[in-house]
Amino acid sequence: MELFEPTTLLGMVLAIVLVPLGGALVQIFFGRKLPRRGDWLATACILTSASLAVTLFWRVIVQIDDPNWSWSSADHGLSWHWLNVGEFQLTAGVYLDNLAVIMLAMVTIIASCIFFFSQGYMHGDRYYSRFFAYLCYFCFAMLGLVVADNILFLFMFWELVGVGSYLLIGFFFYEEDPPKCALKAFMTNRVGDVLFMLGFVLAWQLFGTLNYTELFERLAAGAFVPIEDRAFSGLDNHTILTLSGILIFCGAISKSAQVPLHVWLPDAMAGPTPVSALIHAATMVAAGVFMVGRMYPYFTPEALGFIAGIGAITALVGATMGLVMYDIKKVLAYSTMSQLGYMMLGLGVGGYIAGLFHLITHAFFKACLFLGSGSVIHAVHSQDMRDMGGLKKKMPFTYGTFLIATLALSGVPMLAGYYSKDQIIATALAWGLEYGTAAWIPFLFGAVGAFMTTFYMFRLVFMTFHGTPRNAEKFAHAHESPAVMTIPLMVLATFAIFAGVTLHPLPATEELWFNEIVQQPASAAASGLHLAHDTLAWHDALHTAHYPALIVSLIAIALGFFMARAFYLKKSADAEAWKKRFGPVHTLVANKYYFDEVYNDGLIAGLHKLNHGLARFDRGVIDGAVNSVGLLTRFVAFVAGLFDKYVIDGLVNFWRWFVQTASAVFRVVQTGNARDYLTWTLVGVLILAAYLANGTN
């Protein structure tokens, strides 16, 4: 069933992507001259994209209601030929499926809320118009990434997203830290991006295409490029495919802040709070999870196991660091890192639906949390929770929406995060039941992370909004944010309640709305790479695991809440005493496991030393050799010059002198006068006669 003409649908998608770009260009060149410095124009652009995306969502998700629906501009002859490399041809086109349609709606709705919020939060900033230009550009890059129909164009928009994050994280470029943090984020992501690029180069070598549809079809058919036609040999197809998948995932490790390339994420808090909301909810970090979802059929079981392991470690490590932070935005940053780990964990253990569903639900309540923290910062002019306390009465709208988002993030039943997070933990438990031993790690890490999530989020709530004010001066000046900031919070809190809604209070896997809309793609089965859990036993394990996982999750939530309440609300437990009791562990976690120190003092300092050593080698050996050759050449040239001057030129000059002298002599004789010749003849005869006469005598 088609509800759009192909050209109409293509035009709608291009408008969703390009209207924000148009807004960015107008803002950059003319924003300062527009009324209100153009904030209304940028907001209108993103609202236009949002209205088109919601229309597309309604038509595709609600009216067509086909989990297998997909649309490609190439199938309708509407793609653009881009380049030829030998026999390889690349076209630029649009690919849509239900996941892409949901992503378009999610990104634009959240971005619209952030644009409105920014009008209040950034009011009075001297680069106000530029800020909205960067926001528009950032949204354009993310939307383009979602609809690209091949890996290369996804990668191009992927890099544009990286540029947008660099501009926005370093927006306060006139301060000391933001430019450094922006550079750190940008360079850390380049590490993963280089590996990502190597991964899809291997994919092209294996299958001769980068188009999603063609790639997955050839993979399913086992249509590998013959080894003799490839640039490498010696490894079997399965090994190369696994390596390619892991390298592609490395792009998501950096973009979605997975261990060990997560170090840029807390530093990204140097940007304005609306930027943090956009990065952590709908754009940059979401891009990595979306990419893994888009490339899901490409990953072998070994690659998925690697993804699950990285996700499990990230979920736990991020949660532990959230426990000890006092910067309200950094608590939320490490929360994002942990939740991204959950998404990767879910995808890695075969929970394609669970991982991507959590991506969608998390976006709404995490945007609400970041904007809520921005509302608090706007009121008290501090990010340190030790300067806060008692704000519940002064900021009721901010508090109410923040509490709803906290409950959703913690996985409290009937709120959005409960459905998706419960499904991830259930899938991880099924994975452990099915495979045993190390396969239990994702479930154990996920369960412990659920407890920590609830603890650090209610620690944040209690320290910020409850109790007595810790800084009387800041509390005295605190006030509720204006409507342009609180209304977006209410909208996002509403989504935090209903984004995961289902008719049943205890959802089974098949009862979630996301499951009915997004179809899990087939694995690489036809090429002989069967996922072990594509079996009846796997589905039985999943069914068995659901309610035990739910019970474990609810216990973890309750334990986290009551412990946070005891430490930070009722004060029946002494947080400082426990901190001292776990002194070395607390120090380790508070210093972020010394990842930055290891990188700075080990890797980066080592690279600096290597570079200095290479520079000395270059100056002493390479330049020395070159300079020595230069000196030798100059010496040879000098000697050759002397030889040329005194030998070659000397001979030439001698013969010149000789000829000139002889000419001067002969000119005396050779006068051209017959009388002179007769006179000289007579003289010669006389001399000859005298000689002869003398000889006779």
Side-chain angles (χ1 to χ4, degrees), residues 38-274:
D39 60 356
W40 56 272
L41 175 65
T43 306
C45 288
I46 197 64
L47 283 174
T48 300
S49 291
S51 62
L52 292 171
V54 171
T55 300
L56 186 61
F57 179 92
W58 179 261
R59 293 288 186 92
V60 173
I61 303 302
V62 178
Q63 295 186 348
I64 293 181
D65 191 23
D66 177 7
N68 295 303
W69 181 87
S70 65
W71 186 89
S72 173
S73 60
D75 295 338
H76 300 276
L78 297 175
S79 294
W80 303 274
H81 179 74
W82 195 56
L83 62 83
N84 287 333
V85 180
E87 298 181 356
F88 174 66
Q89 296 184 352
L90 186 67
T91 58
V94 167
Y95 178 79
L96 292 175
D97 58 5
N98 289 353
L99 175 62
V101 170
I102 294 170
M103 284 291 295
L104 291 176
M106 180 271 283
V107 171
T108 53
I109 290 171
I110 291 176
S112 297
C113 293
I114 292 171
F115 275 56
F116 277 110
F117 184 91
S118 299
Q119 293 180 21
Y121 189 86
M122 297 298 293
H123 180 72
D125 188 90
R126 53 177 160 170
Y127 298 109
Y128 186 74
S129 61
R130 183 188 298 179
F131 180 76
F132 280 93
Y134 289 170
L135 286 184
C136 281
Y137 163 79
F138 203 23
C139 292
F140 150 73
M142 182 64 191
L143 294 169
L145 181 151
V146 170
V147 303
D149 72 343
N150 64 78
I151 308 175
L152 181 58
F153 270 85
L154 178 143
F155 183 74
M156 292 167 65
F157 282 104
W158 182 276
E159 294 300 299
L160 294 178
V161 168
V163 173
S165 69
Y166 174 79
L167 295 173
L168 286 166
I169 294 170
F171 183 76
F172 298 130
F173 63 90
Y174 43 83
E175 298 178 2
E176 182 179 359
D177 289 336
K180 296 178 182 178
C181 295
L183 183 61
K184 181 178 180 180
F186 190 78
M187 296 308 297
T188 303
N189 274 272
R190 298 291 71 73
V191 175
D193 293 351
V194 169
L195 299 176
F196 182 11
M197 185 165 58
L198 293 175
F200 72 71
V201 168
L202 284 179
W204 174 63
Q205 284 280 299
L206 281 173
F207 299 102
T209 182
L210 295 176
N211 180 273
Y212 296 135
T213 304
E214 294 176 354
L215 179 66
F216 298 150
E217 287 177 350
R218 295 179 188 183
L219 174 60
F224 294 93
V225 171
I227 292 178
E228 60 270 15
D229 294 337
R230 302 200 298 244
F232 55 86
S233 60
L235 296 176
D236 61 273
N237 292 329
H238 182 100
T239 302
I240 298 172
L241 185 61
T242 299
L243 176 62
S244 174
I246 291 174
L247 289 173
I248 287 173
F249 173 66
C250 286
I253 290 179
S254 60
K255 192 72 77 180
S256 292
Q258 303 292 287
V259 174
L261 298 179
H262 64 283
V263 292
W264 67 270
L265 194 65
D267 294 86
M269 299 302 98
T273 303

Side-chain angles (χ1 to χ4, degrees), residues 600-619:
N600 292 333
D601 299 337
L603 181 61
I604 297 175
L607 287 174
H608 283 170
K609 291 179 180 178
L610 176 63
N611 290 339
H612 288 311
L614 291 175
R616 288 194 295 270
F617 179 81
D618 183 63
R619 290 192 299 267

Side-chain angles (χ1 to χ4, degrees), residues 3 5 57 80 112 176 187 310 348 384 425 449 480 493 524 697:
L3 298 182
E5 289 293 325
F57 179 92
W80 303 274
S112 297
E176 182 179 359
M187 296 308 297
I310 293 294
D384 194 329
I425 294 176
E480 183 60 275
N697 294 329

Side-chain angles (χ1 to χ4, degrees), residues 404-474:
I404 290 172
T406 296
L407 294 170
L409 175 59
S410 300
V412 173
M414 305 306 294
L415 297 177
Y418 159 66
Y419 300 101
S420 53
K421 196 170 181 180
D422 173 69
Q423 198 174 17
I424 290 174
I425 294 176
T427 308
L429 178 57
W431 210 55
L433 291 171
E434 183 70 10
Y435 305 121
T437 59
W440 281 97
I441 292 176
F443 168 72
L444 295 175
F445 281 20
V448 175
F451 154 71
M452 292 182 177
T453 300
T454 307
F455 181 86
Y456 67 66
M457 284 308 303
F458 277 98
R459 170 179 176 266
L460 188 158
V461 170
F462 294 146
M463 289 186 68
T464 303
F465 295 101
H466 290 262
T468 57
R470 297 177 185 82
N471 189 315
E473 181 181 354
K474 292 183 181 299

Side-chain angles (χ1 to χ4, degrees), residues 488-524:
L489 291 176
M490 296 176 193
V491 172
L492 292 169
T494 302
F495 277 101
I497 296 172
F498 296 109
V501 70
T502 182
L503 297 177
H504 301 275
L506 299 176
T509 303
E510 66 275 4
E511 294 167 344
L512 297 171
W513 68 267
F514 195 80
N515 297 35
E516 301 298 325
I517 293 170
V518 176
Q519 179 70 33
Q520 178 158 337
S523 64

